[in-house]
Amino acid sequence: MNRKTLVLPAVAGLLAPLLAACGGSEGDRAIVVGTTDQFIATEDAPAPLDPAYAYDTGAWNVLRQTVQTLLHVPREGGEPVPEAAESCGFSDKASGSYRCTLRPGLTFADGTPITAEDVKYSIERVLKIKSDNGTAALLSNIDTVETQGTDGIVFHLKTPDATFPYKLSTPVAGILSKDKYPGDGLRDGFDVDGSGPYTMKVEREGDKVGRFVFTRNPKYKGDITPRNDKVELRPFADSAAMGKALESKDIDMMARSLSQKQIKDLAEKPKEGIKTVEVPGLEIRYLGFNTKAPSVEQKAVRQAMAAVVDRGALVNLVYGPTAQPLYSLIPSSITGHATPFFDAYGEPNRDRAAQILKKAGIKTPVKITLNYTTDHYGAETAQEFEALGKQLTASELFDVTVKGTEWSTFRTAQKRGDYAVYGLGWFPDYPDPDNYIAPFLDSDNFLNTPYVNTVVRDQLIPRSRRQADRTAAAPVYAQIQKIVAEDVPVLPLWQGKQYVAARDDLSGVEYALNTSSDLLLWELGRGTA
């Protein structure tokens, strides 16, 4: 299929008055945050910021500033607390129904009152559209949504789910206006309307976003108290360009994503006026497999790859102290973490891999292509995949080609099943083991994978969600992880740490990026907190 880019009209001078206003006193000027996330609208993905479609960290970081949810996870972590809601809670001990009451006086940014019907409309819209990006899976356990008066909403669930409050805190459950978002289709382009702490203006560069400008929403009512009046989010082509902008004071902070070299340089040779902060991180990276693709259809091929890949060498070569090897989908520090891939395959062993392939009657070398995205996870991704390719090729069991593609094309092709083997990262929607399992193994999952394990999908995942005490679910997650290590529909590689760098007159930096890589721009201010 010949895919053409959908070019959105550039808006000349759209932000001229807005940006000119940033040039006032030190206290009045906008805080400028850099990111390497790219925001592109294409014919295959024309609605990158519609909550019914958006399912990547960059898009969610825009939506969290502008679209309100019933609950949100506070900056210190823990369980979600009411945001647009005044109160929320399970209506029964079995975690089968969940009721929320809206705060009084809520309105959208344009002044239109928000009612329970708007919440119902927004949730049912996501489920009706059911985009191929996997977003609807977060809400798929909802059976019906009931309104009670103008401010009461009850979610009746198909099966008990103790993690449901976390799901309501994600942008997919954002409250939208039926006047701005069609009920049966996506809203194309980059415009976003909601009731969040900021309103937003966009400066476009053809089919890309040149910058977002967030201005405090005077009609906002919720649990968040912004410490600034205006924040600009500016995409950069790479971390090096973003770093130069920080040094030249063109931006105040760089968040996603610093390169390993930048982090090392800033630690060993601090630059005047710049501070570096390590914040908790739960990012993982992995290889995914199209288990119907001829080259990797037999699980013995995937098992042999698991036996050959040297995670320690990969991390040391490419990421250094900013990452650590991962032998499970669930990272360390999350309940249910184990090491099933190490238990099953041990240290990298070429002979063990050869035996696996020989026993399955597979001729070697097996030809595979490792596909990765060139512009979504940082500058080191290309080096990482070159190293992976060399490891597999050196075993003489695989004949490897490495291919990089821009994210706007890569993600669409991956979902369509064009790639037999591909590299992706995962930043959790919420810090719970469920969110490292269900997006890969449940129905309508994020990967759109053909792999299905009915025991995991129909028995173990629902069982794990019944446990209100999440530590009690650990034995179930241990079962799931053993199955993943045996079937290898995905191959976990490493988990990473997070760093931000900022001008030293910026406060709140340590709270501006949480464990899920959510940008909390409202935490930033100038001077002391």
Side-chain angles (χ1 to χ4, degrees), residues 136 284 314 339 379:
I284 69 169
L314 181 69
T339 57

Side-chain angles (χ1 to χ4, degrees), residues 70 142 145 254 257 275 378 414-415 469:
L70 290 169
I142 295 174
V145 182
M254 56 179 184
S257 301
K275 57 185 176 183
Q414 178 268 314
K415 289 185 295 183
D469 177 1

